[in-house]
Amino acid sequence: MAEAKSALNDAARLAAGESCTVVVPCYNEAARLRVDVFERFLRHEESSRIRLLFVNDGSRDATLSVLEDLCARAPGRASVLDQQPNRGKAEAVRRGMLQAIANGEAQVTGFWDADLATPIEQIDDFLELLDTKPELNMVFGARVRLLGRAIERQPLRHYLGRCFATVVSLLLRLPVYDTQCGAKLFRVTPELEEVLAKPFHSRWIFDVEILARFLENQKSDTRRLEKEIYEFPLPVWTDVAGSKVRSTDFLRAFWELAEIYRRHLAR
Ligand SMILES: Nc1nc2c(ncn2[C@@H]2O[C@H](COP(=O)(O)OP(=O)(O)O)[C@@H](O)[C@H]2O)c(=O)[nH]1
Ligand SMILES: [Mg+2]
């Protein structure tokens, strides 16, 4: 009886699509946050299975009150986790995703940069892929600069980013195109919980650390991991002004990459 009921629940859930909690890490975003865009998205009926969990990462401006106001206007659809003091994007995302999993309501979680460089409506497209392709466990935004798409990246960051991504794909032996896009969804699985269990060592390239942890758990079976990931070529991506990433962070990223390799992949 219980089994039949749970099968019915599963069927109903599949028909409605997976529900999803997306973490939005926010550090000193009071001036940059496009509250009107978030509000419009949260009021939209089509995205009603999506909830947003804003993580205030020890901001020193009015981010927390801006977020609380926004969430009060979208009850049941958005909430705030206040993390004090500032611990960096990696930890904000990790804690947010763990909370989303612990709440037990979402079958999918992930993260989305607060500046909406990737338009928020894309969450629907990512989710649709997870709905229709059960073999997938992850959908990542990919900034592929092709004619007919609006991928607006500063030239220096574009070329540095391409070099970095190439080195990453060689090290991981995984033909991933863009590890650093701040728009990623993950199906909630025991493996994901294991990957998120401990704080990341890297501050900026935790996305690579996530892949390395999955690979380590799967005994470096890159073929298996490859089948679980879909890189979604974004139609639009905008380099939003106000990034807090400095050029020294780029050097630091290579050092962090060497450390990830040593910890998870070297053998
Ligand atoms: N820079 C920075 N961003 C953080 C931190 N914690 C959370 N974030 C969030 O991480 C996301 C990416 O930040 P951003 O400065 O736009 O970086 P970029 O897009 O990679 O240049 C935004 O949603 C930030 O609010 C932090 O400690 N520092
Ligand atoms: Mg940004």
Side-chain angles (χ1 to χ4, degrees), residues 117-134:
T118 310
I120 193 150
E121 300 76 32
Q122 291 291 323
I123 297 178
D124 289 311
D125 298 313
F126 284 26
L127 262 181
E128 219 175 289
L129 271 161
L130 289 168
D131 286 340
T132 52
K133 295 181 186 288

Side-chain angles (χ1 to χ4, degrees), residues 32 113 115 117 240 243:
R32 206 168 61 147
D113 279 357
D115 58 7
V240 180
S243 162

Side-chain angles (χ1 to χ4, degrees), residues 79-171:
S79 51
V80 186
L81 171 65
D82 187 25
Q83 162 174 286
Q84 297 291 345
N86 172 263
R87 292 192 176 88
K89 180 181 172 184
E91 188 59 4
V93 163
R94 192 185 75 90
R95 288 190 181 211
M97 294 214 306
L98 283 174
Q99 171 156 321
I101 295 171
N103 282 350
E105 288 161 359
Q107 292 90 45
V108 175
T109 185
F111 57 93
W112 216 264
D113 279 357
D115 58 7
L116 299 183
T118 310
I120 193 150
E121 300 76 32
Q122 291 291 323
I123 297 178
D124 289 311
D125 298 313
F126 284 26
L127 262 181
E128 219 175 289
L129 271 161
L130 289 168
D131 286 340
T132 52
K133 295 181 186 288
E135 70 278 17
L136 290 180
N137 281 332
M138 299 164 229
V139 180
F140 299 169
R143 296 159 295 181
V144 191
R145 205 155 176 262
L146 297 172
L147 293 176
R149 285 169 198 256
I151 306 295
E152 292 168 23
R153 258 175 121 182
Q154 293 159 20
L156 181 66
R157 280 194 76 167
H158 170 77
Y159 290 112
L160 288 176
R162 294 308 320 131
C163 291
F164 182 75
T166 307
V167 173
V168 169
S169 68
L170 291 172
L171 277 186

